[in-house]
Amino acid sequence: MTKTTKNIFFWTATVFIVLTVYSLTIGQIVPYEFANSKLSQNYYDSIMQGFPIAILLTLFGTIKKGNTKTKNWIFISMTILTSILSFALMVSLVFNIGFGSWTTFSTIYRHKTEDLVIKEQRYDIGALGYGRHRIVKLKPILKFWVLPTEVDTAKIDKNEWKFVNEEGDIKFP
């Protein structure tokens, strides 16, 4: 394998690790959310499954001919150990009930001139049902994200909004 290919694997894995750590830490407190729950679920599934693999791929950049055999074996051992530990952590997070997402119960209003909607949402916590409830105005950001802002529908200017009352992601027979 050429040095360029090894560098590509190493830096791609490093960027993936940084993105995963950001997503599972700071990314949880930023106000932006995924536009739909399916996209969010696919994203988190991908980073959870790819994180241990990305750690293993960093071996391409850490093992070098210039290092002593002992140093290379330390890198190999620590990388494999870290990968196994991250895999165990990711598996444990899969069974954590804290992972959930806001699911649209209904779209109440659409703005007449801007690309804004007001939706009623419930926090879906999987087998445990639904938790909190909110009514938010959603402003789209780059198609894949939204910026939710809680809103009181009694205080909005009804001349700017069209009442639509559309069924959301939760389907009723």
Side-chain angles (χ1 to χ4, degrees):
M1 194 177 290
T2 67
K3 184 176 176 139
T4 306
T5 307
K6 287 180 182 180
N7 279 338
I8 290 171
F9 277 121
F10 176 76
W11 287 109
T12 302
T14 302
V15 168
F16 189 87
I17 290 168
V18 169
L19 180 65
T20 300
V21 170
Y22 171 81
S23 296
L24 296 175
T25 57
I26 298 168
Q28 298 297 309
I29 59 174
V30 295
Y32 302 101
E33 298 175 359
F34 281 99
N36 67 49
S37 58
K38 210 43 136 175
L39 180 64
S40 173
Q41 181 181 3
N42 290 340
Y43 174 77
Y44 284 109
D45 284 346
S46 298
I47 64 170
M48 287 186 158
Q49 293 168 10
F51 188 60
I53 296 166
I55 290 173
L56 282 174
L57 288 175
T58 60
L59 280 173
F60 286 111
T62 54
I63 296 175
K64 297 178 181 160
K65 289 181 183 177
N67 294 342
T68 64
K69 283 187 177 187
T70 306
K71 191 173 184 179
N72 278 338
W73 277 109
I74 290 172
F75 282 140
I76 290 169
S77 302
M78 293 304 294
T79 303
I80 290 172
L81 179 66
T82 306
S83 184
I84 290 169
L85 289 174
S86 69
F87 178 75
L89 174 68
M90 294 301 161
V91 168
S92 72
L93 287 176
V94 168
F95 298 107
N96 186 340
I97 61 171
F99 278 101
S101 64
W102 287 103
T103 303
T104 299
F105 188 72
S106 66
T107 301
I108 305 169
Y109 291 100
R110 289 193 188 282
H111 198 275
K112 290 181 178 177
T113 58
E114 297 179 48
D115 188 17
L116 300 171
V117 291
I118 295 177
K119 295 186 176 197
E120 177 185 5
Q121 296 182 328
R122 310 254 167 102
Y123 196 72
D124 183 1
I125 47 179
L128 300 177
Y130 294 97
R132 295 172 287 168
H133 172 267
R134 71 180 184 179
I135 296 178
V136 290
K137 175 174 66 173
L138 299 176
K139 178 181 179 183
I141 309 288
L142 298 174
K143 184 181 177 183
F144 298 110
W145 297 278
V146 292
L147 177 61
T149 309
E150 294 214 25
V151 65
D152 183 358
T153 55
K155 295 180 181 178
I156 65 170
D157 183 1
K158 303 283 194 221
N159 294 325
E160 295 179 7
W161 295 90
K162 179 183 177 188
F163 180 74
V164 291
N165 197 27
E166 297 170 349
E167 187 175 53
D169 298 331
I170 303 170
K171 304 295 182 195
F172 295 99

